[in-house]
Amino acid sequence: MSHTINAALVGYGFAGQTFHAPFLATTPGLTLRWVVSRDAAKVQAELPGCLVGSLEQVLADESVDLVVIATPNDTHAPIARQALLAGKHVVIDKPFALDLAEAEALVELAEKQQRLLSIFHNRRWDGDFLTVRRLLAEGDLGEVAQFESHFDRYRPEVRQRWREAGGPGSGLWFDLGPHILDQALQLFGQPDWLQADLAQQRPGALSDDYFHVVLGYGTLRVILHGSCLVSATMPRFVIHGSTGSFIKFGMDVQEEQLKAGLRPPVAGWGQDPDLGQLSRVVDGQSQSQPVNGEVGDYGAYYRGVCAAIKGEGANPVPAQEALAVMALLDLARESDSQGKRLSCQKLSD
């Protein structure tokens, strides 16, 4: 494929407007041709020249190569199925289905249709995660014994939105869990076991707003934690190893930059002002030093999608890798309901 890839964005809520449209409209080789939204005036004001219509119109347009799905979680798989059957390549925001079986059916269909199916795990390109990945690869911490990944917020009141409404695919675990599960899998691979605690802590909560999930890898413990009732400043990453510890405060800046209307390559894009701290004990003396962070780059995802569709590169997030995330999302819910540790061995069989 040598021509510009025409994309259609289905859904123009927070995810579509903030994370997808900016890159679909600016990635070389991609053109955002359609948006499916109930708010045509908003789309046309922000994306002049872009067509606004229905999913049926998008799928009937033979010039559309790629359909990007940024709708509520319970609609991801049904829309993706329609798009694949219409011969379109597909990108789905995480999580790409409601359970593992639904996800596996989509992967099978994409293979049958010989179309790209990619999942938007954009936080593989968070600057702080890239920094952690570099530290672990360089061995600065020695043998890692404990890895904590926190995604905490302070939202004490339940909002009137689908993510908190208690329906299929709602809740903090399905919202933030896929991000930090995917990061953990990228760093450490499939765990031996998992134990999860999901809870509804806020008054009037209809879906989980707290999770604490432990993944076991031999002697290593990976702790994934998220809450809506954390008003204090907590670390994003805490890592302890045989030769050092690393602590990092602050979230990747790209989301806030996008919400502020900034776009790469604006000066300072993806540059984290909060440096992590590496601590070691050398000759009995404690030493601490700042660690320069990597630059975040969400745009790498859509550059990769473009290259993959053109046959010039690999799928940046293959659906097979996202299936591993879906499997652990499911297993965590099962662990929570049973109140016990569950083996991940069957997921590898």
Side-chain angles (χ1 to χ4, degrees):
M1 179 183 292
S2 59
H3 72 271
T4 296
I5 296 168
N6 290 318
L9 174 60
V10 184
Y12 200 67
F14 175 72
Q17 180 183 17
T18 306
F19 290 106
H20 295 278
F23 298 106
L24 290 169
T26 60
T27 299
L30 274 175
T31 296
L32 181 53
R33 178 174 173 81
W34 283 94
V35 173
V36 176
S37 171
R38 292 191 294 268
D39 195 341
K42 177 182 177 182
V43 174
Q44 290 168 344
E46 297 180 0
L47 299 168
C50 189
L51 299 172
V52 183
S54 67
L55 178 62
E56 289 71 26
Q57 287 175 296
V58 164
L59 299 184
D61 186 344
E62 294 184 358
S63 72
V64 172
D65 306 295
L66 171 67
V67 172
V68 177
I69 302 167
T71 53
N73 291 343
D74 61 340
T75 66
H76 286 180
I79 294 174
R81 178 173 177 80
Q82 292 180 66
L84 289 169
L85 289 172
K88 313 299 185 184
H89 301 287
V90 173
V91 163
I92 314 178
D93 210 320
K94 57 75 204 166
F96 74 109
L98 291 180
D99 56 41
L100 182 60
E102 191 175 55
E104 288 175 332
L106 277 185
V107 173
E108 182 178 348
L109 179 60
E111 292 173 350
K112 180 180 178 180
Q113 294 293 103
Q114 298 184 339
R115 288 295 180 267
L116 179 89
L117 176 60
S118 187
I119 314 307
F120 189 64
H121 280 299
N122 62 304
R123 291 193 177 272
R124 292 187 183 187
W125 292 273
D126 275 359
D128 50 14
F129 173 70
L130 294 174
T131 303
V132 165
R133 192 168 203 168
R134 185 193 77 211
L135 283 175
L136 295 183
E138 293 174 349
D140 289 338
L141 304 177
E143 189 72 21
V144 177
Q146 181 175 326
F147 179 97
E148 296 183 29
S149 178
H150 289 253
F151 214 137
D152 297 315
R153 296 169 168 173
Y154 185 62
R155 294 179 179 172
E157 296 182 357
V158 177
R159 299 181 180 183
Q160 298 299 313
R161 58 180 192 153
W162 67 263
R163 295 181 190 277
E164 301 181 52
S170 66
L172 197 66
W173 177 236
F174 253 53
D175 185 18
L176 302 183
H179 285 314
I180 55 181
L181 269 176
D182 182 65
Q183 290 181 339
L185 288 170
Q186 288 295 298
L187 294 175
F188 304 112
Q190 183 76 264
D192 302 321
W193 54 263
L194 172 154
Q195 186 158 9
D197 178 20
L198 312 180
Q200 298 176 14
Q201 294 188 323
R202 296 173 298 173
L206 300 174
S207 57
D208 59 83
D209 53 17
Y210 166 95
F211 63 80
H212 189 87
V213 178
V214 181
L215 309 178
Y217 296 82
T219 59
L220 167 65
R221 297 295 181 266
V222 172
I223 299 164
L224 310 179
H225 185 90
S227 171
C228 290
L229 290 174
V230 178
S231 57
T233 301
M234 299 294 289
R236 172 67 180 91
F237 290 106
V238 178
I239 312 172
H240 301 299
S242 59
T243 60
S245 295
F246 177 74
I247 298 179
K248 170 67 175 65
F249 287 84
M251 295 294 298
D252 178 90
V253 299
Q254 292 175 90
E255 179 174 342
E256 292 305 313
Q257 289 179 321
L258 289 165
K259 286 160 66 176
L262 300 178
R263 303 290 183 265
V266 67
W269 180 266
Q271 294 180 358
D272 193 342
D274 299 314
L275 300 183
Q277 292 290 320
L278 176 63
S279 300
R280 291 191 178 103
V281 176
V282 179
D283 296 329
Q285 299 296 314
S286 178
Q287 299 180 354
S288 181
Q289 66 185 70
V291 175
N292 290 325
E294 297 291 318
V295 176
D297 184 14
Y298 290 165
Y301 175 79
Y302 273 112
R303 294 196 299 273
V305 166
C306 188
I309 291 175
K310 291 184 175 183
E312 300 170 355
N315 185 341
V317 183
Q320 286 289 349
E321 292 182 4
L323 283 179
V325 175
M326 289 301 312
L328 292 179
L329 286 172
D330 279 4
L331 192 66
R333 291 190 294 191
E334 186 178 348
S335 169
D336 174 68
S337 67
Q338 296 185 23
K340 65 181 182 181
R341 175 188 298 185
L342 297 179
S343 171
C344 297
Q345 181 60 44
K346 63 180 181 179
L347 304 180
S348 304
D349 295 340

